[in-house]
């Protein structure tokens, strides 16, 4: 009796030790991925810039000084240390505008990916697990949305509803759920016949409980990858909408609107368009690289022995 009790008591402890070792192995693998560490460092810098923009930015991003218009970066002839990245066509400080543009890009990217992920995950779970007419109806809705190019659909909706930060987030969220739904559905179709799902049904677990407790944790790895890819895509889509004048209001600083302003000066004042373009490229690239790394870490089968 004592031996049995001791064995039962040590089983959870052994499981906890095994779980901690799995997490340690995942973190160690992530830290050994130099490219992923560099991408995380870039994202950390962008996040700090977004959160503490009023403290970091050297000037008001919308403050105009026509006497200082189109000043080059500080390291070029005619530049000034007061404007490290130069000024735009209205004399606004480029460094401050790039820093403030980070706020909108990260907010739109993360919020749109979260909204699309929630919608797509719910649709994919219901479609894959319930099957039948539910699966047919939901997947036909996905096919209908896929028939329209996402950017054109976003343009039509934003043009109808009007410009605004939250409108852009809603549009990008509601136009991006299909990829989540299809991946989750395919994963659930392969999982719903597994023994652990059959045993859960046998002990009386409800369908929502099975989907939440047994299926959802097993689709988190692909969701992490799709989510990070969608963040990067949403950042680029927001920049595209702002570039076309259909994104957030003009008084809100975004990288897309800065690119639109700078396209006329590429031949004479390259910095007006190059610096927001580089910020957009680096952020999107860092998000994609981080997504690939997190996919491996989040995979529950990656470190099992």
């Amino acid at each position: 009796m004592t031996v049995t009790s001791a064995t039962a008591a040590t089983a959870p402890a052994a499981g906890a030790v095994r779980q901690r070792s799995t997490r340690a192995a995942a973190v160690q693998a992530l830290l050994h991925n130099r490219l992923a560490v560099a991408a995380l460092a870039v994202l950390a810098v962008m996040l700090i810039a977004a959160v503490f923009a009023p403290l970091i930015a050297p000037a008001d991003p919308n403050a105009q000084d026509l006497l200082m218009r189109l000043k080059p970066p500080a390291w070029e002839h005619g530049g000034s240390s007061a404007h490290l990245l130069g000024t735009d066509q209205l004399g606004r400080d480029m460094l401050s505008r790039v820093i403030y543009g980070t706020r909108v890009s990260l907010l739109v990217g993360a919020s749109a990916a979260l909204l699309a992920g929630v919608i797509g995950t719910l649709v994919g779970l219901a479609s894959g697990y319930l099957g039948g007419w539910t699966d047919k109806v939901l997947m036909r809705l996905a096919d209908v949305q896929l028939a329209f190019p996402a950017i054109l659909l976003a343009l039509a909706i934003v043009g109808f509803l009007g410009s605004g930060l939250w409108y852009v987030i809603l549009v990008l969220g509601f136009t991006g759920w299909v990829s989540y739904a299809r991946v989750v559905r395919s994963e659930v179709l392969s999982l719903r016949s597994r023994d652990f799902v059959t045993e859960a049904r046998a002990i009386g677990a409800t369908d929502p409980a099975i989907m939440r407790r047994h299926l959802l944790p097993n689709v988190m790895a692909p969701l992490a990858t799709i989510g990070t890819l969608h963040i990067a895509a949403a950042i680029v889509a927001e920049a595209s909408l702002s570039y076309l004048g259909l994104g957030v209001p003009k008084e809100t600083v975004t990288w897309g609107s800065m690119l639109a302003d700078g396209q006329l000066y590429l031949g004479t004042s390259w910095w007006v368009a190059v610096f927001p373009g580089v910020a957009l490229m680096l952020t999107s690239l860092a998000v994609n690289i981080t997504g690939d790394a997190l996919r491996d870490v989040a995979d529950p089968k990656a470190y099992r022995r």
Side-chain angles (χ1 to χ4, degrees), residues 107-280:
L107 176 61
V108 170
S111 301
L114 178 62
L115 178 60
V118 171
I119 297 173
T121 300
L122 293 176
V123 171
L125 284 173
S127 179
Y129 182 75
L130 298 178
W133 67 267
T134 302
D135 181 35
K136 293 180 181 178
V137 169
L138 292 177
M139 288 300 101
R140 294 301 78 76
L141 287 175
D143 292 338
V144 169
Q145 179 159 328
L146 286 176
F148 297 93
I151 189 64
L152 293 182
L153 184 60
L155 283 172
I157 297 174
V158 170
F160 177 76
L161 295 177
S163 61
L165 178 61
W166 296 109
Y167 284 148
V168 171
I169 292 173
L170 289 175
V171 166
L172 296 179
F174 280 108
T175 57
W177 62 269
V178 176
S179 57
Y180 294 89
R182 286 187 172 277
V183 171
V184 171
R185 174 181 177 271
S186 64
E187 291 288 329
V188 171
L189 285 175
S190 65
L191 291 171
R192 67 180 184 180
S193 58
R194 297 284 183 86
D195 291 340
F196 64 90
V197 175
T198 304
E199 292 169 1
R201 289 199 198 100
I203 62 175
T206 61
D207 289 340
I210 292 174
M211 287 187 282
R212 184 181 69 255
R213 298 182 60 184
H214 300 284
L215 297 179
L216 182 58
N218 285 280
V219 300
M220 292 307 295
L223 282 179
T225 304
I226 299 173
T228 50
L229 292 175
H230 191 222
I231 289 175
I235 291 173
V236 174
E238 181 278 323
S240 302
L241 292 174
S242 297
Y243 179 85
L244 296 173
L246 294 174
V248 300
K250 291 292 290 183
E251 60 270 15
T252 303
V253 183
T254 68
W255 292 336
S257 61
M258 293 171 70
L259 286 170
D261 293 339
Q263 65 177 337
L264 300 176
Y265 302 94
L266 279 173
T268 56
S269 304
W270 56 267
W271 55 88
V272 180
V274 167
F275 289 130
V278 169
L280 178 63

